Amino acid sequence: MAAAQPVLRSESVVLPPPPLDLPRRTALFLDLDGTLAPIMPRPDDVGPDPRRARLLQRLHAAFDERVAVVSGRDLSNLDYILGGGVKAIGAVHGLMRRAADGQVITREPHPGLADARRILVELAHCERGLLFEDKGLSVALHYRNAPGCAEAVIEAGERLSQATGLVLQLGDMVVELRTPGADKGAAVTAFLREAPFLGATPVFVGDDLTDEDGFLAVARLGGFGVLVGQPRPTAARYRLDDTHAVARWLEGLTSPAELGIPA
């Protein structure tokens, strides 16, 4: 019997917390900001954390290295924050991907990024609370510290997308213009075609709208998504309240008993 096609729910529903008794061959795909690390006022405020590094090491051992981080951040920044402890990484929303064997697959930056970069930098200079971020394959303008600028920033993003052909990516208090191509769902799908992820049941954990692509992908492939944060329309099947709840759940997954592995 064919599996039902996953759908993005049009309204918020009450979702239970994810189970600890996962299939023996499960692959974990984890977002960073808002999932493994709390959202901070500035992206640079997130740095290495020994407790997170130890948790990721235990997860790698428990899941036979079937653990990947899939984030909007660039690859070098993710390596810095994660202490180089994660081999498989999907960066810039999947536009750059490092396989578990170390091979890096990336796209060429879109030529429209030059104009978008110039205009977003100018906007950031006009308002003290706006923060510009350059990821190489995309550019972003954060308005978390200037929420009153939200409408103007989003409108600027929409116009730039239409003028340049860049993909407009709306996130948590950020507008991003990125090179067309893979998204987080495509990155997950690509990982699952390769060792050590091949044949595993995928689980994607994330908080942002950009993570919906990951939720949809794992649902199509027989797995499930876990939404982090407040209830909202989502394709995820389960939910956790915050990054602390994520850490507690992941720590529970490192127990041999929970994974059905003899102690």
Side-chain angles (χ1 to χ4, degrees):
M1 180 180 295
Q5 288 297 307
V7 296
L8 178 64
R9 299 179 181 89
S10 60
E11 57 185 29
S12 298
V13 297
V14 177
L15 298 176
L20 286 170
D21 56 336
L22 300 181
R24 186 179 182 88
R25 279 189 54 81
T26 292
L28 287 179
F29 298 95
L30 307 170
D31 179 37
L32 177 66
D33 296 283
T35 301
L36 289 175
I39 298 289
M40 302 297 282
R42 298 168 55 89
D44 289 346
D45 293 339
V46 179
D49 178 82
R51 181 177 178 180
R52 180 173 59 235
R54 289 192 296 270
L55 173 58
L56 287 169
Q57 288 175 353
R58 294 199 301 272
L59 288 169
H60 268 87
F63 288 87
D64 295 328
E65 299 191 353
R66 294 187 300 273
V67 178
V69 169
V70 184
S71 167
R73 290 179 181 259
D74 66 50
L75 183 58
S76 61
N77 191 227
L78 287 167
D79 275 339
Y80 164 69
I81 293 171
L82 300 171
V86 178
K87 297 178 182 179
I89 289 181
V92 198
H93 308 290
L95 288 174
M96 178 179 289
R97 193 174 63 85
R98 185 173 66 206
D101 64 3
Q103 181 183 6
V104 176
I105 303 97
T106 188
R107 298 183 65 88
E108 290 295 321
H110 190 280
L113 283 170
D115 286 340
R117 182 178 293 109
R118 174 179 55 80
I119 293 172
L120 292 188
V121 166
E122 291 175 357
L123 286 174
H125 287 161
C126 293
E127 175 59 50
R128 186 176 181 181
L130 295 178
L131 177 64
F132 173 77
E133 184 180 12
D134 193 337
K135 305 179 186 180
L137 292 170
S138 73
V139 290
L141 195 59
H142 298 259
Y143 54 90
R144 180 172 302 279
N145 298 317
C149 296
E151 185 175 348
V153 172
I154 292 172
E155 182 179 353
E158 291 172 343
R159 291 182 177 181
L160 280 169
S161 177
Q162 293 173 1
T164 63
L166 293 167
V167 174
L168 176 64
Q169 188 92 62
L170 300 180
D172 188 358
M173 306 294 280
V174 60
V175 163
E176 187 167 352
L177 291 152
R178 64 180 184 87
T179 299
D183 55 26
K184 290 186 177 184
V188 168
T189 302
F191 279 125
L192 289 166
R193 297 191 185 109
E194 305 165 347
F197 301 95
L198 187 66
T201 300
V203 174
F204 192 103
V205 189
D207 71 303
D208 208 346
L209 292 175
T210 61
D211 296 312
E212 292 297 332
D213 294 318
F215 297 157
L216 288 166
V218 296
R220 285 193 295 266
L221 295 167
F224 61 81
V226 181
L227 173 66
V228 182
Q230 295 300 311
R232 61 167 170 79
T234 182
R237 194 189 307 172
Y238 301 99
R239 188 182 71 83
L240 291 165
D241 286 337
D242 51 30
T243 57
H244 298 295
V246 172
R248 288 193 297 270
W249 179 65
L250 292 176
E251 286 168 355
L253 294 179
T254 65
S255 166
E258 296 298 349
L259 291 169
I261 301 172

